[in-house]
Each structure stands twice: as C-alpha cells, then as structure tokens.
C-alpha cells in the first residue's frame, strides 16, 4: 500500500482526510511544518498532502526547502487562497497540484490518483509529453529541438494541461484555473488559446483525433499523455 504524508494542523480536517484515505494509503501525519520536514528527511513517501498555512514552517517554505534538498515526491497543496497569483506561487514553490478549501474528499482522491499515475512530469520545473517539453523556470517550450513561441496565456494553459494529463476539463474549469477573474472570460477565450496551441505544436497535417489536445464534444478538453 502506498505511503502518504499529511501535513496539516487542523485536527478535524486531519481526522477526516486520514480516515477517508486509509483504504488506499498508509497515512502518516505531521501537525506543523517542522515536524513535516523532519518526517520527509527521515522516511520515504509516495505522496504528500501539504497545508499552506502551518505553524513553525509554512507549507510554501517547507515545499521550497524539500525541493532544494532534492525531494521529488509529488505534493498537492491545500490552501484557502484561490487567486491565480497564489496558485502560481504554490506551483512555482514546488507543489505539483493544489486544492482550494473547502474541497470534496472525492476530488482529493482523484487528484492523488492522477499524481501517482502521471507519466509526463519529469520534475516540477520540467514537463514532458512525447516530443513536447515545457520548461517552467525558463518559460520555454520546445517541440523536438525546435523552440516554440507561446503567448503567456497559451503557455499557462499548456502548463496546466501538462500537469494534469488525460484529465478532462470543461471550458469553465479551465477559465477558473488558468484565467484571472478580471481577464477576458468565456468559452471562446479557451477555444482560441487551444486552437493556437494546436497550430503551433501539432504535427503537420494532424487531424483532431491525433492532436496533442483532444476536444471531447459537450464535455471539455484533455491533453493526451504520450510516451
């Protein structure tokens, strides 16, 4: 059974999450950031569920420290912060995914399963799917050895989809997760960005069925993981 470390100081939430996940994971608990970091240094885990606001060491600082020490374990961050800037800070700090409180236990389970099966994530800063590579730290995308220029929103959308391969997202979901609330909104903004990404990254003559981003009619979009 996979081993998971839950780092959270809300006792009620700890009890709920630990009980919910106990059928799939061996759950260890740390109630502050320092205790969590100590456990990560002493033991190996398959997944980490990390609260942003913690005593002693904050979740974001713990995440940065863990990554700076070479830690590769996938991290999903729990946070009450929902702005795009906050989500960017969490992901840039080393988290692989985030979940805004309050959240559904079923969604937490789904996110954790996705992190475990993900095959396109090489590191938090380098995402790979087939011949497409996205370097977060250098803000660079390449297809094979050829650099590809993406507009900022196209880059952010591609990064999000590459962090969630084979998961389906509606236009509304993508707007909420990638677009800021004061930016242009509407399904057309999503369609336009996806169309441009396809034009830049799909193989020449590629039809919709072989596109890097699949359109599922009346459902949404997903990036198909490719080895």
């Amino acid at each position: 059974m996979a081993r998971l470390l839950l780092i959270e100081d809300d006792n009620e939430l700890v009890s709920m999450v630990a009980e919910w996940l106990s059928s799939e994971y061996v759950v260890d608990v740390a109630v502050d950031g320092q205790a969590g970091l100590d456990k990560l240094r002493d033991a190996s885990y398959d997944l980490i569920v990390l609260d942003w606001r913690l005593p002693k060491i904050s979740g974001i600082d713990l995440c940065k420290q863990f990554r700076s020490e070479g830690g590769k374990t996938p991290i999903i961050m729990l946070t009450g912060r929902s702005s795009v800037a906050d989500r960017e800070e969490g992901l840039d700090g080393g988290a692989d995914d985030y979940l805004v409180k309050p959240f559904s236990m079923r969604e937490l389970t789904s996110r954790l399963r996705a992190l475990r099966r993900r095959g396109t994530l090489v590191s938090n800063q380098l995402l790979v799917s087939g011949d497409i590579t996205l370097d977060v730290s250098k803000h660079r995308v390449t297809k094979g050895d050829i650099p590809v220029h993406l507009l900022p929103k196209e880059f952010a959308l591609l990064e999000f989809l590459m962090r969630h391969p084979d998961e389906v997202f509606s236009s509304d979901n993508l707007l909420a997760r990638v677009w800021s609330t004061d930016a242009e909104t509407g399904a057309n903004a999503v369609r336009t960005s996806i169309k441009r990404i396809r034009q830049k990254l799909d193989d020449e003559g590629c039809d919709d069925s072989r596109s890097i981003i699949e359109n599922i009619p009346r459902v949404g979009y997903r990036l198909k993981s490719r080895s």
Side-chain angles (χ1 to χ4, degrees):
M1 186 176 287
R3 192 175 182 189
L4 178 147
L5 177 61
L6 171 61
I7 310 174
E8 168 65 62
D9 65 329
D10 183 326
N11 292 330
E12 183 177 355
L13 184 57
V14 166
S15 297
M16 292 172 58
V17 172
E19 181 178 0
W20 178 266
L21 297 177
S22 62
S23 62
E24 293 188 43
Y25 304 95
V26 174
V27 180
D28 286 353
V29 175
V31 295
D32 64 64
Q34 185 61 61
L37 190 58
D38 290 342
K39 283 182 176 290
L40 289 172
R41 287 168 172 167
D42 293 339
S44 176
Y45 294 92
D46 298 290
L47 292 164
I48 301 166
V49 178
L50 174 64
D51 187 34
W52 184 303
R53 303 186 70 172
L54 290 168
K56 298 186 179 180
I57 300 177
S58 71
I60 191 68
D61 287 340
L62 185 158
C63 194
K64 291 177 180 178
Q65 182 65 31
F66 179 61
R67 294 301 187 210
S68 72
E69 295 176 2
K72 303 295 184 184
T73 307
I75 297 173
I76 182 167
M77 183 166 283
L78 307 179
T79 175
R81 303 168 180 241
S82 59
S83 74
V84 172
D86 288 329
R87 294 198 296 267
E88 289 177 344
E89 182 181 356
L91 294 172
D92 289 344
D96 299 292
D97 200 358
Y98 57 87
L99 196 55
V100 177
K101 298 179 180 179
F103 56 85
S104 160
M105 290 296 180
R106 289 186 177 180
E107 183 174 7
L108 174 60
T109 302
S110 178
R111 297 285 189 91
L112 290 170
R113 287 172 180 165
L115 283 177
R116 289 191 65 193
R117 68 172 178 263
R118 184 178 301 168
T120 61
L121 183 61
V122 173
S123 72
N124 185 60
Q125 298 297 312
L126 191 66
L127 308 174
V128 179
S129 181
D131 61 348
I132 306 300
T133 300
L134 185 149
D135 190 323
V136 178
S137 62
K138 297 180 180 178
H139 205 272
R140 183 173 64 187
V141 176
T142 57
K143 180 177 174 63
D145 295 325
I146 302 173
V148 178
H149 174 69
L150 296 183
L151 297 174
K153 194 59 64 180
E154 296 164 9
F155 186 95
L157 178 57
L158 179 63
E159 178 186 350
F160 177 81
L161 290 172
M162 290 183 75
R163 291 186 183 277
H164 301 84
D166 296 320
E167 293 186 57
V168 180
F169 297 94
S170 68
S171 294
D172 286 344
N173 284 336
L174 292 174
L175 284 168
R177 293 169 183 245
V178 178
W179 272 255
S180 59
T181 55
D182 59 349
E184 60 173 323
T185 57
N188 187 58
V190 177
R191 286 194 297 269
T192 298
S193 292
I194 287 178
K195 180 180 178 181
R196 289 173 177 166
I197 292 172
R198 285 171 162 177
Q199 289 173 340
K200 295 173 182 180
L201 294 179
D202 282 348
D203 295 330
E204 186 174 353
C206 176
D207 58 25
D208 286 345
S209 65
R210 294 183 293 123
S211 174
I212 184 174
I213 300 175
E214 181 180 8
N215 177 16
I216 303 174
R218 296 184 295 278
V219 179
Y221 303 92
R222 69 179 168 198
L223 185 140
K224 295 179 288 186
S225 59
R226 303 185 296 174
S227 58

